[in-house]
Amino acid sequence: MTRSAMFPLGMVLFPAQMLPLRIFEPRYREMVSDCLRDDQSFGVVLIERGSEVGGGDVRNGLGTLARIIH
């Protein structure tokens, strides 16, 4: 079983919803490159407290599996 990368956001991604992303942090640019290279999905999870940038956030225990289509 493959382990998915996690992308924490200040919003919820609902199943079948499109979510345009602006990827600028190096760690997430690397995650996107890995997902594209290996044709892998990634998890999107809501940040309950904290910030999207810089770490130190508290994440919800439930998220959505996402894939890059464009």
Side-chain angles (χ1 to χ4, degrees):
M1 181 174 175
T2 311
R3 187 175 154 191
S4 293
M6 192 62 58
F7 194 81
L9 290 174
M11 64 179 60
V12 175
L13 173 62
F14 292 102
Q17 177 185 8
M18 301 274 284
L19 178 64
L21 296 173
R22 181 172 171 248
I23 311 297
F24 56 91
E25 284 190 65
R27 61 185 169 159
Y28 295 121
R29 292 176 68 96
E30 182 179 349
M31 180 196 81
V32 167
S33 292
D34 293 346
C35 288
L36 289 169
R37 181 192 66 231
D38 300 333
D39 194 28
Q40 293 291 316
S41 56
F42 63 97
V44 176
V45 64
L46 175 67
I47 296 174
E48 291 184 349
R49 286 190 307 275
S51 173
E52 288 182 15
V53 179
D57 54 75
V58 176
R59 301 171 186 181
N60 192 292
L62 184 64
T64 302
L65 194 61
R67 64 185 176 91
I68 302 170
I69 59 171
H70 178 73

